[in-house]
mmCIF file of all heavy atoms in Angstrom:
data_model
loop_
_atom_site.group_PDB
_atom_site.id
_atom_site.type_symbol
_atom_site.label_atom_id
_atom_site.label_comp_id
_atom_site.label_asym_id
_atom_site.label_seq_id
_atom_site.Cartn_x
_atom_site.Cartn_y
_atom_site.Cartn_z
ATOM 1 N N GLY A 13 60.802 -30.624 18.545
ATOM 2 C CA GLY A 13 61.891 -30.016 19.515
ATOM 3 C C GLY A 13 61.310 -28.838 20.265
ATOM 4 O O GLY A 13 62.096 -28.014 20.727
ATOM 5 N N GLY A 14 59.990 -28.763 20.269
ATOM 6 C CA GLY A 14 59.449 -27.561 21.062
ATOM 7 C C GLY A 14 59.441 -26.300 20.359
ATOM 8 O O GLY A 14 58.970 -25.242 20.805
ATOM 9 N N ALA A 15 59.882 -26.294 18.994
ATOM 10 C CA ALA A 15 59.774 -25.079 18.249
ATOM 11 C C ALA A 15 58.311 -24.665 17.948
ATOM 12 O O ALA A 15 57.488 -25.485 17.819
ATOM 13 C CB ALA A 15 60.507 -25.331 16.891
ATOM 14 N N ASN A 16 58.172 -23.299 18.062
ATOM 15 C CA ASN A 16 56.745 -22.873 17.870
ATOM 16 C C ASN A 16 56.733 -21.838 16.752
ATOM 17 O O ASN A 16 57.413 -20.831 16.813
ATOM 18 C CB ASN A 16 56.306 -22.069 19.138
ATOM 19 C CG ASN A 16 54.916 -21.506 18.947
ATOM 20 O OD1 ASN A 16 54.072 -21.907 18.109
ATOM 21 N ND2 ASN A 16 54.593 -20.352 19.768
ATOM 22 N N LEU A 17 56.308 -22.263 15.602
ATOM 23 C CA LEU A 17 56.294 -21.392 14.531
ATOM 24 C C LEU A 17 54.921 -20.721 14.305
ATOM 25 O O LEU A 17 53.803 -21.378 14.237
ATOM 26 C CB LEU A 17 56.469 -22.238 13.241
ATOM 27 C CG LEU A 17 56.796 -21.483 11.889
ATOM 28 C CD1 LEU A 17 58.095 -20.778 11.978
ATOM 29 C CD2 LEU A 17 56.938 -22.364 10.756
ATOM 30 N N ASP A 18 54.806 -19.538 14.331
ATOM 31 C CA ASP A 18 53.587 -18.706 14.219
ATOM 32 C C ASP A 18 52.804 -18.830 13.020
ATOM 33 O O ASP A 18 53.324 -18.996 11.960
ATOM 34 C CB ASP A 18 53.774 -17.305 14.623
ATOM 35 C CG ASP A 18 54.113 -16.984 16.033
ATOM 36 O OD1 ASP A 18 54.037 -17.877 16.851
ATOM 37 O OD2 ASP A 18 54.690 -15.890 16.343
ATOM 38 N N SER A 19 51.427 -18.950 13.042
ATOM 39 C CA SER A 19 50.675 -18.775 12.016
ATOM 40 C C SER A 19 50.515 -17.251 11.495
ATOM 41 O O SER A 19 51.042 -16.402 12.102
ATOM 42 C CB SER A 19 49.158 -19.341 12.191
ATOM 43 O OG SER A 19 48.685 -18.602 13.270
ATOM 44 N N PHE A 20 49.841 -17.120 10.271
ATOM 45 C CA PHE A 20 49.668 -15.675 9.924
ATOM 46 C C PHE A 20 48.216 -15.334 9.674
ATOM 47 O O PHE A 20 47.480 -16.201 9.319
ATOM 48 C CB PHE A 20 50.471 -15.617 8.513
ATOM 49 C CG PHE A 20 50.321 -14.183 7.836
ATOM 50 C CD1 PHE A 20 51.246 -13.211 8.156
ATOM 51 C CD2 PHE A 20 49.229 -13.840 7.101
ATOM 52 C CE1 PHE A 20 51.130 -11.871 7.607
ATOM 53 C CE2 PHE A 20 49.107 -12.724 6.573
ATOM 54 C CZ PHE A 20 50.066 -11.632 6.708
ATOM 55 N N ASN A 21 47.828 -14.180 10.141
ATOM 56 C CA ASN A 21 46.471 -13.831 10.024
ATOM 57 C C ASN A 21 46.404 -12.262 10.024
ATOM 58 O O ASN A 21 47.025 -11.591 10.842
ATOM 59 C CB ASN A 21 45.633 -14.265 11.197
ATOM 60 C CG ASN A 21 44.185 -14.018 11.025
ATOM 61 O OD1 ASN A 21 43.609 -13.950 10.006
ATOM 62 N ND2 ASN A 21 43.474 -13.860 12.177
ATOM 63 N N VAL A 22 45.749 -11.818 8.889
ATOM 64 C CA VAL A 22 45.575 -10.433 8.851
ATOM 65 C C VAL A 22 44.264 -9.945 8.079
ATOM 66 O O VAL A 22 43.862 -10.600 7.262
ATOM 67 C CB VAL A 22 46.663 -9.592 7.930
ATOM 68 C CG1 VAL A 22 46.738 -10.153 6.557
ATOM 69 C CG2 VAL A 22 46.739 -8.200 8.017
ATOM 70 N N SER A 23 43.549 -8.964 8.627
ATOM 71 C CA SER A 23 42.289 -8.475 7.978
ATOM 72 C C SER A 23 42.626 -7.284 7.198
ATOM 73 O O SER A 23 43.509 -6.436 7.484
ATOM 74 C CB SER A 23 41.328 -8.056 9.160
ATOM 75 O OG SER A 23 40.878 -9.163 9.876
ATOM 76 N N ILE A 24 41.803 -7.205 6.095
ATOM 77 C CA ILE A 24 42.229 -6.162 5.087
ATOM 78 C C ILE A 24 41.013 -5.243 4.998
ATOM 79 O O ILE A 24 39.816 -5.712 4.751
ATOM 80 C CB ILE A 24 42.617 -6.799 3.792
ATOM 81 C CG1 ILE A 24 43.864 -7.629 4.048
ATOM 82 C CG2 ILE A 24 43.013 -5.694 2.777
ATOM 83 C CD1 ILE A 24 44.343 -8.496 2.927
ATOM 84 N N SER A 25 41.142 -3.934 4.772
ATOM 85 C CA SER A 25 40.206 -2.900 4.591
ATOM 86 C C SER A 25 39.579 -3.153 3.159
ATOM 87 O O SER A 25 40.248 -2.967 2.205
ATOM 88 C CB SER A 25 40.639 -1.540 4.718
ATOM 89 O OG SER A 25 39.854 -0.653 4.120
ATOM 90 N N PRO A 26 38.202 -3.377 3.073
ATOM 91 C CA PRO A 26 37.563 -3.499 1.755
ATOM 92 C C PRO A 26 37.742 -2.139 1.067
ATOM 93 O O PRO A 26 37.864 -2.200 -0.219
ATOM 94 C CB PRO A 26 36.087 -3.793 2.021
ATOM 95 C CG PRO A 26 36.047 -4.210 3.518
ATOM 96 C CD PRO A 26 37.268 -3.690 4.169
ATOM 97 N N LYS A 27 37.705 -1.041 1.809
ATOM 98 C CA LYS A 27 37.923 0.290 1.067
ATOM 99 C C LYS A 27 39.258 0.389 0.210
ATOM 100 O O LYS A 27 39.309 0.871 -0.725
ATOM 101 C CB LYS A 27 37.759 1.383 2.189
ATOM 102 C CG LYS A 27 37.862 2.745 1.431
ATOM 103 C CD LYS A 27 37.665 3.905 2.611
ATOM 104 C CE LYS A 27 37.750 5.171 1.952
ATOM 105 N NZ LYS A 27 39.080 5.676 1.655
ATOM 106 N N SER A 28 40.289 -0.155 0.887
ATOM 107 C CA SER A 28 41.625 -0.093 0.281
ATOM 108 C C SER A 28 41.593 -0.971 -0.937
ATOM 109 O O SER A 28 42.461 -0.729 -1.879
ATOM 110 C CB SER A 28 42.691 -0.393 1.346
ATOM 111 O OG SER A 28 42.728 -1.818 1.644
ATOM 112 N N CYS A 29 40.959 -2.057 -0.821
ATOM 113 C CA CYS A 29 40.892 -2.975 -1.967
ATOM 114 C C CYS A 29 40.054 -2.407 -3.146
ATOM 115 O O CYS A 29 40.616 -2.462 -4.343
ATOM 116 C CB CYS A 29 40.039 -4.240 -1.593
ATOM 117 S SG CYS A 29 41.051 -5.342 -0.444
ATOM 118 N N VAL A 30 39.030 -1.621 -2.961
ATOM 119 C CA VAL A 30 38.261 -0.948 -3.893
ATOM 120 C C VAL A 30 39.162 0.025 -4.599
ATOM 121 O O VAL A 30 39.150 0.300 -5.774
ATOM 122 C CB VAL A 30 36.963 -0.558 -3.433
ATOM 123 C CG1 VAL A 30 36.255 0.443 -4.526
ATOM 124 C CG2 VAL A 30 35.994 -1.597 -3.049
ATOM 125 N N GLU A 31 39.740 0.863 -3.722
ATOM 126 C CA GLU A 31 40.734 1.867 -4.173
ATOM 127 C C GLU A 31 41.733 1.283 -5.168
ATOM 128 O O GLU A 31 42.250 2.107 -5.962
ATOM 129 C CB GLU A 31 41.267 2.562 -3.058
ATOM 130 C CG GLU A 31 40.236 3.492 -2.318
ATOM 131 C CD GLU A 31 40.848 4.103 -0.962
ATOM 132 O OE1 GLU A 31 41.852 3.730 -0.666
ATOM 133 O OE2 GLU A 31 40.162 5.001 -0.484
ATOM 134 N N ALA A 32 42.160 0.130 -4.823
ATOM 135 C CA ALA A 32 43.192 -0.493 -5.657
ATOM 136 C C ALA A 32 42.716 -1.121 -7.005
ATOM 137 O O ALA A 32 43.334 -1.634 -7.815
ATOM 138 C CB ALA A 32 44.026 -1.600 -4.982
ATOM 139 N N GLY A 33 41.342 -1.163 -7.046
ATOM 140 C CA GLY A 33 40.763 -1.676 -8.295
ATOM 141 C C GLY A 33 40.075 -3.093 -8.218
ATOM 142 O O GLY A 33 39.696 -3.708 -9.219
ATOM 143 N N LEU A 34 40.089 -3.659 -6.984
ATOM 144 C CA LEU A 34 39.519 -5.095 -6.757
ATOM 145 C C LEU A 34 38.001 -4.980 -6.622
ATOM 146 O O LEU A 34 37.400 -3.810 -6.427
ATOM 147 C CB LEU A 34 40.241 -5.674 -5.590
ATOM 148 C CG LEU A 34 41.724 -5.768 -5.543
ATOM 149 C CD1 LEU A 34 42.284 -6.383 -4.369
ATOM 150 C CD2 LEU A 34 42.040 -6.715 -6.773
ATOM 151 N N ASP A 35 37.371 -5.991 -6.849
ATOM 152 C CA ASP A 35 35.968 -6.217 -7.044
ATOM 153 C C ASP A 35 35.179 -6.554 -5.731
ATOM 154 O O ASP A 35 35.595 -7.437 -5.067
ATOM 155 C CB ASP A 35 35.638 -7.177 -8.192
ATOM 156 C CG ASP A 35 34.119 -7.376 -8.453
ATOM 157 O OD1 ASP A 35 33.527 -6.306 -8.890
ATOM 158 O OD2 ASP A 35 33.622 -8.400 -8.253
ATOM 159 N N ILE A 36 34.025 -5.973 -5.466
ATOM 160 C CA ILE A 36 33.071 -6.400 -4.545
ATOM 161 C C ILE A 36 31.770 -6.658 -5.351
ATOM 162 O O ILE A 36 31.192 -5.864 -6.089
ATOM 163 C CB ILE A 36 32.809 -5.251 -3.570
ATOM 164 C CG1 ILE A 36 34.091 -5.022 -2.685
ATOM 165 C CG2 ILE A 36 31.667 -5.668 -2.651
ATOM 166 C CD1 ILE A 36 33.941 -3.985 -1.565
ATOM 167 N N ASN A 37 31.267 -7.812 -5.078
ATOM 168 C CA ASN A 37 30.181 -8.388 -5.815
ATOM 169 C C ASN A 37 28.857 -8.495 -4.789
ATOM 170 O O ASN A 37 28.942 -8.930 -3.694
ATOM 171 C CB ASN A 37 30.414 -9.824 -6.224
ATOM 172 C CG ASN A 37 29.299 -10.424 -7.038
ATOM 173 O OD1 ASN A 37 28.469 -11.054 -6.496
ATOM 174 N ND2 ASN A 37 29.258 -10.083 -8.408
ATOM 175 N N ALA A 38 27.695 -8.043 -5.407
ATOM 176 C CA ALA A 38 26.482 -7.879 -4.602
ATOM 177 C C ALA A 38 26.103 -9.303 -4.195
ATOM 178 O O ALA A 38 25.580 -9.452 -2.926
ATOM 179 C CB ALA A 38 25.411 -7.171 -5.411
ATOM 180 N N ASP A 39 26.090 -10.289 -4.943
ATOM 181 C CA ASP A 39 25.749 -11.633 -4.608
ATOM 182 C C ASP A 39 26.599 -12.160 -3.463
ATOM 183 O O ASP A 39 26.117 -12.773 -2.572
ATOM 184 C CB ASP A 39 25.741 -12.688 -5.833
ATOM 185 C CG ASP A 39 24.648 -12.357 -6.782
ATOM 186 O OD1 ASP A 39 23.702 -11.643 -6.409
ATOM 187 O OD2 ASP A 39 24.900 -12.742 -7.868
ATOM 188 N N THR A 40 27.930 -11.921 -3.442
ATOM 189 C CA THR A 40 28.854 -12.348 -2.467
ATOM 190 C C THR A 40 28.516 -11.650 -1.121
ATOM 191 O O THR A 40 28.532 -12.140 0.024
ATOM 192 C CB THR A 40 30.287 -12.075 -2.874
ATOM 193 O OG1 THR A 40 30.473 -12.758 -4.183
ATOM 194 C CG2 THR A 40 31.297 -12.670 -1.880
ATOM 195 N N MET A 41 28.350 -10.356 -1.177
ATOM 196 C CA MET A 41 27.888 -9.515 -0.023
ATOM 197 C C MET A 41 26.620 -10.102 0.633
ATOM 198 O O MET A 41 26.499 -10.320 1.791
ATOM 199 C CB MET A 41 27.791 -8.186 -0.412
ATOM 200 C CG MET A 41 29.079 -7.437 -0.683
ATOM 201 S SD MET A 41 30.110 -7.464 0.625
ATOM 202 C CE MET A 41 29.411 -6.623 1.994
ATOM 203 N N LYS A 42 25.697 -10.543 -0.258
ATOM 204 C CA LYS A 42 24.469 -11.170 0.224
ATOM 205 C C LYS A 42 24.760 -12.460 1.116
ATOM 206 O O LYS A 42 24.128 -12.636 1.954
ATOM 207 C CB LYS A 42 23.463 -11.313 -0.883
ATOM 208 C CG LYS A 42 22.085 -11.832 -0.429
ATOM 209 C CD LYS A 42 21.179 -12.103 -1.803
ATOM 210 C CE LYS A 42 19.900 -12.687 -1.361
ATOM 211 N NZ LYS A 42 18.892 -12.854 -2.415
ATOM 212 N N TRP A 43 25.716 -13.272 0.397
ATOM 213 C CA TRP A 43 26.020 -14.466 0.988
ATOM 214 C C TRP A 43 26.657 -14.198 2.349
ATOM 215 O O TRP A 43 26.374 -14.858 3.407
ATOM 216 C CB TRP A 43 26.979 -15.149 0.087
ATOM 217 C CG TRP A 43 27.557 -16.514 0.633
ATOM 218 C CD1 TRP A 43 27.113 -17.781 0.568
ATOM 219 C CD2 TRP A 43 28.734 -16.624 1.397
ATOM 220 N NE1 TRP A 43 27.778 -18.689 1.237
ATOM 221 C CE2 TRP A 43 28.922 -18.022 1.872
ATOM 222 C CE3 TRP A 43 29.659 -15.757 1.996
ATOM 223 C CZ2 TRP A 43 29.894 -18.574 2.657
ATOM 224 C CZ3 TRP A 43 30.767 -16.252 2.771
ATOM 225 C CH2 TRP A 43 30.902 -17.547 3.062
ATOM 226 N N TRP A 44 27.567 -13.233 2.550
ATOM 227 C CA TRP A 44 28.196 -12.990 3.795
ATOM 228 C C TRP A 44 27.089 -12.474 4.758
ATOM 229 O O TRP A 44 27.248 -13.027 5.883
ATOM 230 C CB TRP A 44 29.176 -11.923 3.563
ATOM 231 C CG TRP A 44 30.556 -12.230 3.305
ATOM 232 C CD1 TRP A 44 31.130 -12.060 2.055
ATOM 233 C CD2 TRP A 44 31.478 -12.838 4.086
ATOM 234 N NE1 TRP A 44 32.393 -12.524 2.116
ATOM 235 C CE2 TRP A 44 32.632 -13.042 3.292
ATOM 236 C CE3 TRP A 44 31.445 -13.327 5.362
ATOM 237 C CZ2 TRP A 44 33.701 -13.750 3.903
ATOM 238 C CZ3 TRP A 44 32.592 -13.970 5.872
ATOM 239 C CH2 TRP A 44 33.673 -14.209 5.165
ATOM 240 N N PHE A 45 26.135 -11.669 4.386
ATOM 241 C CA PHE A 45 25.018 -11.200 5.396
ATOM 242 C C PHE A 45 24.201 -12.510 5.754
ATOM 243 O O PHE A 45 23.517 -12.365 6.844
ATOM 244 C CB PHE A 45 24.280 -10.171 4.836
ATOM 245 C CG PHE A 45 25.083 -8.806 4.699
ATOM 246 C CD1 PHE A 45 24.999 -8.045 3.446
ATOM 247 C CD2 PHE A 45 25.830 -8.412 5.722
ATOM 248 C CE1 PHE A 45 25.812 -6.888 3.369
ATOM 249 C CE2 PHE A 45 26.587 -7.251 5.578
ATOM 250 C CZ PHE A 45 26.480 -6.413 4.344
ATOM 251 N N GLY A 46 24.277 -13.654 5.030
ATOM 252 C CA GLY A 46 23.515 -14.764 5.411
ATOM 253 C C GLY A 46 24.241 -15.623 6.363
ATOM 254 O O GLY A 46 23.649 -16.716 6.764
ATOM 255 N N GLN A 47 25.508 -15.297 6.603
ATOM 256 C CA GLN A 47 26.260 -16.147 7.493
ATOM 257 C C GLN A 47 25.971 -15.879 9.046
ATOM 258 O O GLN A 47 25.229 -14.939 9.231
ATOM 259 C CB GLN A 47 27.721 -16.046 7.275
ATOM 260 C CG GLN A 47 28.222 -16.257 5.829
ATOM 261 C CD GLN A 47 27.869 -17.735 5.455
ATOM 262 O OE1 GLN A 47 28.246 -18.680 6.122
ATOM 263 N NE2 GLN A 47 27.046 -17.705 4.358
ATOM 264 N N GLU A 48 26.475 -16.807 9.892
ATOM 265 C CA GLU A 48 26.126 -16.617 11.236
ATOM 266 C C GLU A 48 26.747 -15.237 11.644
ATOM 267 O O GLU A 48 27.661 -14.712 11.269
ATOM 268 C CB GLU A 48 26.912 -17.746 12.179
ATOM 269 C CG GLU A 48 26.208 -19.037 11.788
ATOM 270 C CD GLU A 48 26.995 -20.190 12.570
ATOM 271 O OE1 GLU A 48 27.851 -19.883 13.411
ATOM 272 O OE2 GLU A 48 26.579 -21.361 12.347
ATOM 273 N N THR A 49 26.066 -14.585 12.848
ATOM 274 C CA THR A 49 26.503 -13.410 13.239
ATOM 275 C C THR A 49 27.902 -13.375 13.729
ATOM 276 O O THR A 49 28.624 -12.341 13.572
ATOM 277 C CB THR A 49 25.558 -13.008 14.549
ATOM 278 O OG1 THR A 49 24.155 -12.926 14.038
ATOM 279 C CG2 THR A 49 25.882 -11.636 14.936
ATOM 280 N N ALA A 50 28.342 -14.367 14.472
ATOM 281 C CA ALA A 50 29.746 -14.404 14.822
ATOM 282 C C ALA A 50 30.728 -14.406 13.753
ATOM 283 O O ALA A 50 31.733 -13.604 13.729
ATOM 284 C CB ALA A 50 30.007 -15.779 15.742
ATOM 285 N N VAL A 51 30.430 -15.044 12.632
ATOM 286 C CA VAL A 51 31.348 -14.920 11.457
ATOM 287 C C VAL A 51 31.370 -13.612 10.805
ATOM 288 O O VAL A 51 32.356 -13.049 10.565
ATOM 289 C CB VAL A 51 30.764 -16.065 10.422
ATOM 290 C CG1 VAL A 51 31.661 -15.870 9.162
ATOM 291 C CG2 VAL A 51 30.932 -17.463 10.946
ATOM 292 N N GLN A 52 30.099 -13.030 10.702
ATOM 293 C CA GLN A 52 30.179 -11.682 10.210
ATOM 294 C C GLN A 52 31.015 -10.744 11.052
ATOM 295 O O GLN A 52 31.641 -9.748 10.607
ATOM 296 C CB GLN A 52 28.618 -11.236 10.067
ATOM 297 C CG GLN A 52 27.817 -11.847 9.074
ATOM 298 C CD GLN A 52 26.403 -11.203 8.974
ATOM 299 O OE1 GLN A 52 26.329 -10.017 9.148
ATOM 300 N NE2 GLN A 52 25.394 -11.930 8.829
ATOM 301 N N SER A 53 30.890 -10.919 12.416
ATOM 302 C CA SER A 53 31.547 -9.949 13.227
ATOM 303 C C SER A 53 32.926 -10.189 13.248
ATOM 304 O O SER A 53 33.836 -9.293 13.164
ATOM 305 C CB SER A 53 30.981 -10.237 14.742
ATOM 306 O OG SER A 53 31.815 -9.431 15.679
ATOM 307 N N GLU A 54 33.461 -11.438 13.266
ATOM 308 C CA GLU A 54 34.890 -11.773 13.254
ATOM 309 C C GLU A 54 35.504 -11.492 12.018
ATOM 310 O O GLU A 54 36.743 -11.107 12.038
ATOM 311 C CB GLU A 54 35.117 -13.260 13.663
ATOM 312 C CG GLU A 54 34.870 -13.561 15.098
ATOM 313 C CD GLU A 54 35.678 -12.921 16.096
ATOM 314 O OE1 GLU A 54 36.904 -12.724 15.952
ATOM 315 O OE2 GLU A 54 35.123 -12.438 17.114
ATOM 316 N N VAL A 55 34.918 -11.574 10.880
ATOM 317 C CA VAL A 55 35.658 -11.517 9.621
ATOM 318 C C VAL A 55 35.186 -10.161 8.957
ATOM 319 O O VAL A 55 36.070 -9.353 8.562
ATOM 320 C CB VAL A 55 35.276 -12.645 8.637
ATOM 321 C CG1 VAL A 55 36.050 -12.645 7.425
ATOM 322 C CG2 VAL A 55 35.691 -13.943 9.443
ATOM 323 N N LEU A 56 33.929 -10.245 8.609
ATOM 324 C CA LEU A 56 33.462 -9.001 7.729
ATOM 325 C C LEU A 56 33.544 -7.645 8.520
ATOM 326 O O LEU A 56 34.173 -6.523 8.029
ATOM 327 C CB LEU A 56 31.988 -9.307 7.240
ATOM 328 C CG LEU A 56 31.352 -8.145 6.249
ATOM 329 C CD1 LEU A 56 32.321 -7.974 5.180
ATOM 330 C CD2 LEU A 56 30.079 -8.638 5.895
ATOM 331 N N SER A 57 32.884 -7.632 9.724
ATOM 332 C CA SER A 57 32.981 -6.366 10.480
ATOM 333 C C SER A 57 34.254 -5.956 10.857
ATOM 334 O O SER A 57 34.621 -4.765 10.795
ATOM 335 C CB SER A 57 32.001 -6.489 11.526
ATOM 336 O OG SER A 57 30.681 -6.748 11.262
ATOM 337 N N ASN A 58 35.014 -6.953 11.216
ATOM 338 C CA ASN A 58 36.508 -6.619 11.746
ATOM 339 C C ASN A 58 37.335 -6.067 10.498
ATOM 340 O O ASN A 58 38.031 -5.108 10.607
ATOM 341 C CB ASN A 58 37.186 -7.934 12.160
ATOM 342 C CG ASN A 58 38.488 -7.694 12.772
ATOM 343 O OD1 ASN A 58 38.656 -6.759 13.769
ATOM 344 N ND2 ASN A 58 39.568 -8.488 12.486
ATOM 345 N N ALA A 59 37.074 -6.544 9.283
ATOM 346 C CA ALA A 59 37.767 -6.020 8.165
ATOM 347 C C ALA A 59 37.350 -4.687 7.847
ATOM 348 O O ALA A 59 38.217 -3.790 7.590
ATOM 349 C CB ALA A 59 37.597 -6.907 6.842
#
């Protein structure tokens, strides 16, 4: 019926996650840095 239900999308500061006690892993960071530049920019750098 033409209804438009919005999606949800939010970027989160890694610093605030670490301050809350969440984990950042070196291997995962290495994986991120191996992704395409556009992905790094849109997701990691934006966060």
Side-chain angles (χ1 to χ4, degrees):
N16 178 27
L17 190 67
D18 289 344
S19 58
F20 178 91
N21 185 32
V22 65
S23 293
I24 302 171
S25 162
K27 181 175 181 290
S28 71
C29 290
V30 172
E31 290 173 347
L34 298 177
D35 181 65
I36 293 180
N37 179 270
D39 289 339
T40 306
M41 292 300 300
K42 182 179 179 181
W43 177 88
W44 272 108
F45 290 133
Q47 301 306 301
E48 296 179 3
T49 302
V51 175
Q52 291 187 39
S53 176
E54 288 296 322
V55 181
L56 183 58
S57 298
N58 191 49

